[in-house]
Amino acid sequence: MRTSRTRVRRVLGAVVALIAAAVPGTAWAGGAPATAATACQTREGSEHVDWTGMWFDHDVVCDNAPGDVRLQSFSSSPVVGRMLTTRSWFVCWKLGGAEADGNSIWYYTQGDEVVSRPATQAWGYLPASMVYSGTHPAPGLPRCPWG
């Protein structure tokens, strides 16, 4: 089941990238979408279980930049996954290392593809600078219980 979902996410990521390249006004430029971001949506009952067995009963879906998912919440942490899609779900947030923009909020999610450490199943963190939620943390998203 996970394999087929991963394949679907990869195909969707590739389709989104092709559309963004072909349609004017949809490209990501300067770390932000060229068009207005869609508001984040809370999805109750959207369950996820991470690689450690931690269970989450809802998520928040937001526009995001594609990029690296890191094992821990700081920019020098190993990259364990890659986010290919530009609208993704997140299960919680925590404070971590400050990014260039000064924001130290990081969002916990599962990447679309595994880059390293397969046991993590691409679970890790994206910095707030890559998540377009209007405010940080994203409304409706809980703080991670360990952070």
Side-chain angles (χ1 to χ4, degrees), residues 2-139:
R2 167 141 327 260
T3 304
S4 63
R5 276 192 260 164
T6 301
R7 285 186 188 139
V8 168
R9 290 182 94 182
R10 286 181 183 160
V11 169
L12 288 175
V15 170
V16 168
L18 288 172
I19 291 170
V23 179
T26 60
W28 298 89
T35 58
T38 305
C40 295
Q41 294 180 300
T42 300
R43 299 188 308 178
E44 297 295 334
S46 184
E47 297 178 0
H48 303 278
V49 179
D50 77 2
W51 69 286
T52 68
M54 179 68 82
W55 178 75
F56 303 91
D57 66 356
H58 77 283
D59 61 24
V60 172
V61 178
C62 298
D63 288 344
N64 60 275
D68 294 336
V69 176
R70 300 197 175 269
L71 182 61
Q72 294 296 328
S73 56
F74 50 91
S75 59
S76 62
S77 179
V79 174
V80 293
R82 187 152 296 117
M83 194 62 74
L84 304 174
T85 55
T86 57
R87 187 147 176 93
S88 306
W89 52 262
F90 305 90
V91 294
C92 63
W93 66 272
K94 71 178 265 194
L95 293 176
E99 290 288 288
D101 65 357
N103 200 322
S104 59
I105 292 176
W106 291 71
Y107 292 91
Y108 191 56
T109 188
Q110 184 176 27
D112 297 316
E113 71 177 1
V114 174
V115 172
S116 69
R117 302 184 189 208
T120 67
Q121 302 169 357
W123 278 90
Y125 299 90
L126 279 179
S129 61
M130 293 178 64
V131 179
Y132 309 117
S133 64
T135 61
H136 296 292

